[in-house]
Amino acid sequence: MMKRYVYINDDELSEDLYCVNRISNRKYTVLNFLPKNLWEQFSRFMNQYFLLIACLQLWPLITPVNPASTWGPLILIFAVSATKEAWDDYNRYLSDKKANEKEVWVVKQGIKKHIQAQDIRVGDILWLRKNDEVPCDLVLIGTSDVQGLCYVETSALDGETDLKTRVIPSACMGIDSELLHKIKGVIECPNPDKDIRRFDANLRLFPPFIDNDLCPLTIKNTLLQSCYLRNTEWACGVAVYTGNETKLGMSRGIPETKLTAMDAMIDKLTGAIFIFQLVVVIVLGLAGNVWKDTEARKQWYVQYPNEGPWYEFLIIPLRFELLCSIMIPISIKVSLDFVKSLYAKFIDWDNEMVDVETGTPAHAANTAISEDLGQVEYILTDKTGTLTENRMIFKRCCVSGVFYGNENGDALKDVELLSAVASGSPDVIRFLKIMAICNTVIPIQSKSGSISYKAQSQDEEALVRAAAHLHMVLVNNNVNILEINFNGAIEHHEILDILEFTSDRKRMSVVVKDRGSGRIFLLSKGADEAILPHARAGQQTRSFAEAVEQYAQLGLRTLCFAWRGIEEEEYQEWSLIFKEANSTLVDREWRVAEACQRLEHDFEILGVAAIEDRLQDGVPETIETLRKAGINFWMLTGDKQNTAVQIALSCNFVSPEPKGQLLLINGKTEDEVCRSLERVLLTMRITESEPKDVAFVIDGWALEIALKHYRKAFTELAILSRTAICCRVTPSQKAQLVELLKSCEYRTLAIGDGGNDVRMIQQADIGVGISGREGLQAARAADYSIGKFRFLKRLILVHGRYSYNRTAFLSQYSFYKSLLICFIQIFFSFISGVSGTSLFNSVSLMAYNVVYTSIPVLVSVLDKDLSERTVMQHPQILFYCQAGRLLNPSTFAGWFGRSLFHDRGMGWMIGIEREFEGLYHLVLPSSTTSSCASIGGISSSDSFSALSSSLIYYSTNDSFIFFVDDFRM
């Protein structure tokens, strides 16, 4: 693995090794804007096509119209697009300028002074004050707190609103603040990356501060760019990543452009029209050359030279290519971009999608995919915080086989539990200590003495509050000392090590030392499958498994608590292994997990806690309505199976027996999963024709085997199943399931509220984030953000359906009006010697495309074929959108035929041509070429009784004009 060495407070060694802290998010510069923007615009096939047409029109020999008819709209479209890009880039420049010129305190040559943020270099020591924004990625080396703590707000980085603790490395403990600006040393860290949750590095300070021992660094020892220092008077850190090499800078990037189903269909139709256009050009070009070499030479007014240039046979086909180029409307992209932006604004302006409780409005971050909302077929949803409120309440518990809270549904009011606490029951007291100690909760004491808690996990906050209610109060949480107030007596516990929770281990542990007795304990909490299998030999865990099952049947979230004593020798031996694992720069995460496994065994299981997470208002009704609209639901959750099933039943995901049926896919081996999968598939095939609500349930272990070894069978199951409940799944598995459904050509929508849902949201065709209690990370990564799950119904049925209907009409109309004017030109060619001459002048063509047929029809963005109330009451109407009934080859063929039918007025011209064939085929000779000139315009009364100045003949190369007047029909 590549790494860098950061020399602290040493300008000579750090100079010019790494970039300065100048931030640049600009896409262009003044010099490269024009060529780069033009290159990007002309990378699109349609723009290349119109550029070719515009260039051909500059050839006077073949152009039937003034080049301005194409160059004008083309330049306008490019100018509008370039102006928008330039404006966006200018705003990025202003934002960068503001950040770059912000003044910060930096130590330079042992002196603290003000410099601009853009002049910070790697290795510089920075000083931050309360509420300051962190200008680059720092390794914390000092704070105003005596324990070396500081608090940061990371909402600008990861969307999480709760404060997080950061701590100085152990090597920097005890260094006086006056000496920090003289500190020397080296930080060994990996090259810049975008992982904001990992920082595997080592610190070595030079004498006289400390000896040369390595001190491991983690993400908890860092302050990352764009975070804010809170509740801390000052903090001091060493710059390790600067400029665009910070973790935030590396995370920036242009998100992948999502192509809607309608965009894909429009591209296919454009390709079909292009092929049709080529056929027309070839046929009419051949016919024109044949007519020129036969009929034209018989006419007295046509004078062709005996020999023409070698490319003479290309002139008429190229004329028809220019004449027929308007079959593909040049304005369609601009028109669609404009109306799609309006669709997004309609979502932003919708007052009925504002969460009254928090004041959070709906927001469309992606302005290009609104019509896809009307074609959603599968919704993949998280559970906690998405379907539920994520307001955790401690409801029940089981300690040493005794159930508390079963009678009144609230353990905190259970007389037996209160008596056990009062009498000092050892197991209950230890259970409460794990609730209060084994967490990352930050207690904040106000001036009045009241204590509030800040937690990154709502589960942990609920447990700490419940413990405090039962007189086990977490009073203070310093770097390595915890203060617990139990019934008025203060207990001090030293935190020796924290074995952090990971999605693979599914548990968290802390190694604590009781300052009173000096004994060392391992306290753990986690999922039942991560705790119960590691119980000590001989302990019966059946009662705990029954408690987990019982609480899950009630839809409660469960956590198992365990502990064991550790001898001093065992801890010292393990500590060396753990320290070494934390010091490595290669595979640190894997080696730390392996070290944790060495300690987490022979648990004494204490009990099970059950936490309630209530459903959000309107969730069952929303799901029922959307299922009637033909939308299938998959629930992807990290909770255990029974909890997820109970929530699914209460949410109307699946009907209870006998109308509904749940099919389980389980197993720990390939053979077990294979048999289970085949059994479920067979049942699905049998019940496919029956009106029964069937769903399958699978856990993360079986899912991993199925996706790896039986992907084809699982894909068939995904196609057959309307509903799926996937439990104990990881964030990567969520994204894999979205990818699986997309590979089956389904339009997918993923919705979630936490950071673990981001990968799923970004993978889906449409990502929806809920601005919930877990922060804004999911909402920021999503295409759309809403305040509550119930607003999804309106987002899809109203905004999605209207957007699809309007876009379907506008796109097909754009082709229709272009085909209409083109067919008139084609019909006219039959009475003008198939010469490729335009019936209309250039100004008329431009006015037709822009003024007469484009701008007025844009008001279709306000069209509502049905009222919003009707659509919400009859969600089955969405079937037409999902099936693409309003935009497909059949509907387009109808518009195509309509354009032909509406050109039937040209029949009178063809009739005149037949009767006055000799008169109407007037083609004037050119003085320099054999190009033909013919009818330029015709006007008449409806009765054809008289034509006055009705036939205008002109040459495109000469200014000669000839009028045929005053003849009678």
Side-chain angles (χ1 to χ4, degrees):
M1 182 182 67
M2 299 295 293
K3 55 187 176 182
R4 64 165 56 179
Y5 293 91
V6 176
Y7 295 93
I8 303 173
N9 200 16
D10 195 327
D11 293 339
E12 293 182 3
L13 290 175
S14 298
E15 188 175 7
D16 298 328
L17 283 177
Y18 310 111
C19 70
V20 296
N21 196 45
R22 183 175 180 81
I23 299 171
S24 179
N25 295 307
R26 295 176 63 187
K27 188 176 179 181
Y28 308 100
T29 65
V30 176
L31 295 177
N32 72 8
F33 172 75
L34 193 59
K36 189 173 181 179
N37 184 262
L38 288 176
W39 175 263
E40 290 175 354
Q41 297 206 53
F42 285 119
S43 63
R44 303 168 188 153
F45 169 74
M46 192 173 286
N47 288 346
Q48 295 172 6
Y49 169 77
F50 285 116
L51 179 65
L52 175 63
I53 296 300
C55 290
L56 286 175
Q57 286 189 348
L58 296 176
W59 191 0
L61 184 64
I62 63 172
T63 180
V65 294
N66 193 310
S69 62
T70 299
W71 279 103
L74 191 66
I75 291 174
L76 177 63
I77 291 171
F78 286 169
V80 169
S81 180
T83 302
K84 179 179 178 298
E85 286 286 327
W87 178 252
D88 291 343
D89 207 52
Y90 179 68
N91 287 328
R92 286 191 288 266
Y93 161 74
L94 292 180
S95 177
D96 292 344
K97 186 173 184 290
K98 182 178 179 181
N100 288 329
E101 295 180 355
K102 185 180 297 183
E103 290 193 339
V104 295
W105 284 103
V106 175
V107 174
K108 289 285 188 181
Q109 297 177 349
I111 302 173
K112 191 190 300 183
K113 61 181 180 180
H114 264 129
I115 65 169
Q116 289 187 346
Q118 62 186 352
D119 296 326
I120 297 172
R121 290 184 175 273
V122 169
D124 286 348
I125 297 178
L126 276 70
W127 291 77
L128 302 172
R129 296 181 179 179
K130 186 177 180 179
N131 297 326
D132 278 354
E133 182 181 5
V134 182
C136 61
D137 290 352
L138 307 174
V139 168
L140 195 63
I141 60 173
T143 73
S144 58
D145 186 83
V146 293
Q147 300 292 334
L149 281 175
C150 73
Y151 300 94
V152 293
E153 179 187 308
T154 62
S155 59
L157 187 68
D158 58 14
E160 296 179 3
T161 54
D162 291 318
L163 296 183
K164 295 182 176 63
T165 54
R166 294 293 183 260
V167 60
I168 65 176
S170 58
C172 299
M173 290 290 185
I175 298 179
D176 190 86
S177 60
E178 298 298 325
L179 299 176
L180 285 174
H181 67 282
K182 298 179 180 179
I183 201 169
K184 296 281 186 177
V186 62
I187 298 173
E188 181 186 16
C189 58
N191 275 343
D193 61 62
K194 61 183 179 180
D195 190 349
I196 62 173
R197 288 175 171 77
R198 289 186 61 185
F199 180 69
D200 300 336
N202 293 316
L203 167 67
R204 179 185 284 116
L205 294 182
F206 298 154
F209 295 95
I210 202 169
D211 58 24
N212 285 322
D213 286 347
L214 278 179
C215 175
L217 302 176
T218 68
I219 198 68
K220 289 192 173 182
N221 304 123
T222 65
L223 299 177
L224 299 184
Q225 184 188 40
S226 292
C227 296
Y228 285 86
L229 188 67
R230 305 293 192 199
N231 297 349
T232 307
E233 292 303 318
W234 61 264
C236 179
V238 178
V240 288
Y241 302 127
T242 52
N244 288 344
E245 292 183 346
T246 63
K247 289 187 178 290
L248 181 63
M250 299 290 287
S251 300
R252 293 190 188 103
I254 301 173
E256 183 180 350
T257 303
K258 294 185 177 181
L259 182 68
T260 67
M262 188 166 286
D263 287 336
M265 179 57 67
I266 291 173
D267 287 345
K268 292 177 182 177
L269 295 176
T270 302
I273 288 295
F274 180 69
I275 294 173
F276 172 74
Q277 179 193 104
L278 290 179
V279 172
V280 170
V281 167
I282 292 172
V283 171
L284 292 181
L286 290 174
N289 279 319
V290 170
W291 188 90
K292 181 187 69 175
D293 293 334
T294 56
E295 295 298 321
R297 298 190 184 280
K298 298 178 183 179
Q299 307 301 327
W300 60 267
Y301 48 82
V302 178
Q303 297 179 6
Y304 282 108
N306 293 330
E307 292 186 6
W310 64 269
Y311 53 81
E312 184 178 11
F313 71 98
L314 293 175
I315 293 176
I316 293 180
L318 287 176
R319 281 186 175 180
F320 276 110
E321 174 59 37
L322 297 178
L323 204 63
C324 295
S325 64
I326 57 175
M327 282 187 181
I328 301 175
I330 193 172
S331 61
I332 186 171
K333 184 182 182 300
V334 174
S335 299
L336 290 180
D337 286 349
F338 173 74
V339 298
K340 287 181 179 184
S341 298
L342 282 180
Y343 300 155
K345 286 299 180 184
F346 291 158
I347 295 173
D348 293 348
W349 296 334
D350 192 343
N351 291 328
E352 294 189 37
M353 293 179 65
V354 176
D355 182 15
V356 178
E357 182 181 346
T358 61
T360 304
H363 174 62
N366 192 330
T367 62
I369 62 172
S370 296
E371 66 273 16
D372 245 10
L373 287 167
Q375 294 192 281
V376 171
E377 296 166 284
Y378 274 84
I379 293 178
L380 299 97
T381 175
D382 177 43
K383 181 182 76 68
T384 305
T386 303
L387 302 176
T388 61
E389 292 183 346
N390 202 17
R391 297 178 186 272
M392 307 301 180
I393 302 173
F394 182 85
K395 297 297 289 184
R396 305 187 185 195
C397 64
C398 171
V399 183
S400 299
V402 181
F403 289 79
Y404 299 105
N406 282 16
E407 293 184 2
N408 55 14
D410 188 352
L412 299 181
K413 297 179 181 179
D414 193 309
V415 176
E416 290 187 22
L417 180 59
L418 295 175
S419 299
V421 173
S423 62
S425 169
D427 287 342
V428 171
I429 300 305
R430 197 169 282 122
F431 184 87
L432 295 179
K433 280 187 178 180
I434 297 178
M435 290 173 59
I437 294 175
C438 190
N439 54 66
T440 58
V441 175
I442 303 169
I444 298 177
Q445 196 161 8
S446 65
K447 294 180 180 179
S448 62
S450 62
I451 298 175
S452 60
Y453 297 105
K454 287 284 187 179
Q456 299 175 37
S457 166
Q458 302 300 324
D459 291 305
E460 289 187 343
E461 184 178 348
L463 293 174
V464 172
R465 290 183 182 278
H469 187 85
L470 296 171
H471 311 295
M472 187 70 70
V473 183
L474 175 62
V475 178
N476 200 356
N477 185 353
N478 290 328
V479 179
N480 56 358
I481 302 296
L482 281 178
E483 290 185 20
I484 302 293
N485 185 336
F486 179 60
N487 285 332
I490 300 296
E491 300 180 8
H492 293 87
H493 298 273
E494 182 180 356
I495 303 296
L496 300 179
D497 291 290
I498 297 177
L499 286 61
E500 296 182 352
F501 174 87
T502 66
S503 58
D504 294 325
R505 292 174 55 245
K506 297 182 179 178
R507 61 180 173 266
M508 174 192 177
S509 303
V510 294
V511 181
V512 299
K513 185 175 184 178
D514 190 327
R515 297 290 289 271
S517 64
R519 295 186 61 190
I520 299 175
F521 300 96
L522 175 69
L523 310 180
S524 297
K525 75 172 191 297
D528 55 298
E529 74 267 25
I531 298 292
L532 299 184
H534 300 282
R536 64 171 173 81
Q539 184 181 15
Q540 295 295 324
T541 60
R542 183 175 179 180
S543 62
F544 301 112
E546 290 176 353
V548 170
E549 183 73 17
Q550 177 182 325
Y551 293 149
Q553 291 287 348
L554 298 173
L556 302 176
R557 295 164 60 87
T558 57
L559 283 171
C560 293
F561 292 175
W563 76 286
R564 79 177 181 92
I566 303 176
E567 296 297 329
E568 181 73 29
E569 294 78 9
E570 179 188 3
Y571 171 72
Q572 293 299 335
E573 181 182 348
W574 174 84
S575 181
L576 292 175
I577 298 173
F578 190 62
K579 184 177 180 181
E580 182 182 353
N582 275 298
S583 300
T584 183
L585 297 184
V586 180
D587 295 329
R588 177 181 290 190
E589 189 174 358
W590 177 81
R591 294 186 63 180
V592 167
E594 187 180 37
C596 293
Q597 191 74 25
R598 289 174 175 264
L599 198 66
E600 294 172 321
H601 59 84
D602 293 332
F603 283 136
E604 182 76 27
I605 310 299
L606 284 175
V608 180
I611 301 171
E612 181 186 47
D613 187 10
R614 295 175 181 172
L615 284 179
Q616 293 182 18
D617 293 336
V619 167
E621 296 80 7
T622 298
I623 293 175
E624 183 180 9
T625 300
L626 292 178
R627 291 190 72 202
K628 288 180 180 178
I631 297 176
N632 305 323
F633 276 88
W634 283 25
M635 179 197 289
L636 315 181
T637 177
D639 273 351
K640 67 182 287 74
Q641 187 176 102
N642 287 336
T643 303
V645 168
Q646 291 304 312
I647 294 295
L649 289 171
S650 60
C651 286
N652 291 327
F653 267 97
V654 62
S655 303
E657 296 282 357
K659 290 184 178 180
Q661 182 179 4
L662 286 175
L663 305 175
L664 301 182
I665 302 174
N666 47 35
K668 298 294 184 181
T669 65
E670 291 183 27
D671 291 338
E672 290 175 353
V673 173
C674 181
R675 288 194 297 269
S676 181
L677 187 58
E678 288 177 351
R679 184 182 66 251
V680 170
L681 263 176
L682 181 61
T683 307
M684 282 284 188
R685 295 187 189 111
I686 294 172
T687 59
E688 187 180 6
S689 58
E690 299 178 10
K692 196 168 186 179
D693 193 4
V694 181
F696 73 86
V697 183
I698 189 170
D699 64 15
W701 189 277
L703 178 63
E704 183 177 355
I705 296 174
L707 289 175
K708 186 176 182 180
H709 300 286
Y710 306 105
R711 191 177 183 89
K712 184 177 180 180
F714 189 77
T715 301
E716 182 184 354
L717 179 63
I719 295 173
L720 292 174
S721 177
R722 290 196 61 194
T723 307
I725 302 169
C726 304
C727 319
R728 300 296 196 193
V729 292
T730 63
S732 61
Q733 287 177 325
K734 290 182 179 183
Q736 286 177 332
L737 289 172
V738 174
E739 186 180 4
L740 178 76
L741 290 173
K742 287 176 66 177
S743 68
C744 300
E745 302 299 326
Y746 291 122
R747 306 306 290 184
T748 59
L749 181 149
I751 179 170
D753 73 315
N756 60 334
D757 301 316
V758 168
R759 292 183 63 179
M760 171 181 72
I761 286 172
Q762 292 178 332
Q763 184 68 40
D765 294 304
I766 305 168
V768 179
I770 292 182
S771 305
R773 291 171 63 84
E774 287 193 22
L776 303 174
Q777 194 171 357
R780 287 178 174 174
D783 302 302
Y784 301 92
S785 63
I786 55 179
K788 289 288 189 294
F789 183 87
R790 68 176 183 270
F791 297 133
L792 190 63
K793 176 169 64 173
R794 182 172 177 84
L795 184 68
I796 291 175
L797 295 181
V798 175
H799 293 285
R801 183 180 174 277
Y802 283 156
S803 297
Y804 173 81
N805 288 358
R806 293 160 178 169
T807 306
F809 166 77
L810 185 61
S811 58
Q812 293 179 110
Y813 167 79
S814 296
F815 282 105
Y816 158 79
K817 56 105 171 177
S818 296
L819 288 168
L820 181 69
I821 197 69
C822 190
F823 282 145
I824 293 176
Q825 302 268 42
I826 292 173
F827 289 150
F828 175 68
S829 69
F830 293 122
I831 57 172
S832 62
V834 201
S835 58
T837 302
S838 175
L839 172 63
F840 306 103
N841 60 49
S842 302
V843 175
S844 299
L845 281 175
M846 291 179 64
Y848 172 83
N849 278 317
V850 178
V851 181
Y852 301 149
T853 60
S854 289
I855 295 177
V857 180
L858 289 180
V859 298
S860 64
V861 298
L862 302 176
D863 282 353
K864 293 183 179 181
D865 58 333
L866 297 171
S867 68
E868 296 177 5
R869 182 179 178 183
T870 301
V871 173
M872 298 286 273
Q873 289 177 344
H874 303 280
Q876 298 87 346
I877 296 171
L878 196 68
F879 289 160
Y880 284 89
C881 300
Q882 290 172 329
R885 297 284 182 85
L886 300 182
L887 178 61
N888 54 53
S890 298
T891 60
F892 187 76
W895 283 88
F896 187 90
R898 196 175 293 124
S899 64
L900 276 173
F901 178 71
H902 290 167
D903 282 325
R904 68 191 186 280
M906 288 299 296
W908 71 272
M909 297 177 64
I910 297 174
I912 294 175
E913 188 273 337
R914 288 174 180 170
E915 187 142 354
F916 300 97
E917 185 176 10
L919 175 64
Y920 270 64
H921 287 162
L922 296 182
V923 182
L924 297 180
S926 170
S927 58
T928 58
T929 71
S930 60
S931 61
C932 301
S934 55
I935 299 178
I938 298 178
S939 60
S940 72
S941 65
D942 292 337
S943 63
F944 306 107
S945 58
L947 293 173
S948 178
S949 299
S950 57
L951 303 180
I952 307 173
Y953 302 84
Y954 67 95
S955 169
T956 57
N957 295 304
D958 298 329
S959 58
F960 185 86
I961 298 178
F962 179 73
F963 295 93
V964 178
D965 293 331
D966 300 326
F967 67 92
R968 300 285 176 179
M969 298 292 292

